Amino acid sequence: MKIGLLFGSFNPIHIGHLIIANYMANYTTLDKVWLVVSPQNPLKKYGDLINTYDRLEMAKLATDNSTNIAVSDVELKLPQPSYTIDTLTHLKEKYSEHEFALIMGSDNLVTLHKWKNYKLILRDYQIFVYPRPGYENAEFASHPSVTITMTPLMELSATFIRKSIAEKKNVQYFVPDPVLKFIESKSLYRV
């Protein structure tokens, strides 16, 4: 089975994440997509990242009825900080029967050269790239391991959702209903 890995903080998970995962699972050569909940991106500041297990639970709630999108907590069990190459190596050893590929936005493709062992990633893994506004041309876009997809362009961000919740604005339809209920039940993202 060919599994695409979509890494993220999912702080919170929203319909943009789900549209990307659904597109990759149904319109590419991938059989399944795993949403890999990351404890902390080494290239990002900690900021207003909520409890990892709340983010994991929201991702599970969002994908509960999906047949080809699953949630992975693999990075929560690995040493920190979590680097993509280490996670890929671990998964390759643990699930040798599967082939793994990366899913990333064109914004991440632009910074791929800053990733730990990025040359190994390019050599050993296929990378499926979805468009992000303002990041059309990337250095590795024409690399043989990189597939630029026609995933619907999503300008929705978790930052926008967190800010909206803090301002007591309605975020219905931006996040799945079970996720919204979870956020409200725990008063997450309120200032």
Side-chain angles (χ1 to χ4, degrees), residues 11-166:
N11 186 37
I13 191 165
H14 55 73
I15 60 152
H17 296 126
L18 298 172
I19 289 169
I20 291 164
N22 185 63
Y23 180 92
M24 294 295 176
N26 290 289
Y27 294 86
T28 68
T29 57
L30 297 171
D31 298 305
K32 202 166 197 170
V33 170
W34 288 359
L35 303 177
V36 181
V37 178
S38 299
Q40 175 62 42
N41 180 332
L43 295 178
K44 288 186 179 178
K45 291 185 174 147
Y46 187 76
D48 49 5
L49 198 61
I50 65 161
N51 177 297
T52 303
Y53 293 97
D54 284 342
R55 293 184 287 116
L56 183 67
E57 182 61 23
M58 286 188 286
K60 287 178 179 176
L61 287 168
T63 58
D64 194 34
N65 295 321
S66 180
T67 55
N68 55 4
I69 302 170
V71 176
S72 171
D73 64 354
V74 64
E75 286 205 332
L76 309 185
K77 300 170 184 170
L78 296 175
Q80 301 302 309
S82 53
Y83 293 99
T84 302
I85 188 64
D86 298 334
T87 305
L88 289 167
T89 302
H90 173 79
L91 287 171
K92 199 173 188 179
E93 289 170 2
K94 188 171 180 178
Y95 302 101
S96 57
E97 71 277 16
H98 296 313
E99 179 184 346
F100 292 98
L102 278 179
I103 298 169
M104 69 173 65
S106 53
D107 55 331
N108 284 319
L109 191 61
V110 168
T111 61
L112 186 63
H113 66 282
K114 294 181 181 179
W115 291 27
K116 179 183 175 185
N117 296 342
Y118 76 94
K119 290 180 181 176
L120 271 178
I121 294 172
L122 283 166
R123 186 191 75 190
D124 296 341
Y125 298 92
Q126 189 173 6
I127 302 173
F128 291 86
V129 179
Y130 58 89
R132 291 294 299 263
Y135 295 94
E136 287 73 34
N137 298 315
E139 176 184 350
F140 300 110
S142 60
H143 191 281
S145 295
V146 174
T147 301
I148 306 295
T149 69
M150 300 298 292
T151 309
L153 188 62
M154 295 302 305
E155 293 193 46
L156 183 62
S157 72
T159 304
F160 168 80
I161 292 168
R162 291 192 306 272
K163 185 175 186 281
S164 296
I165 292 170

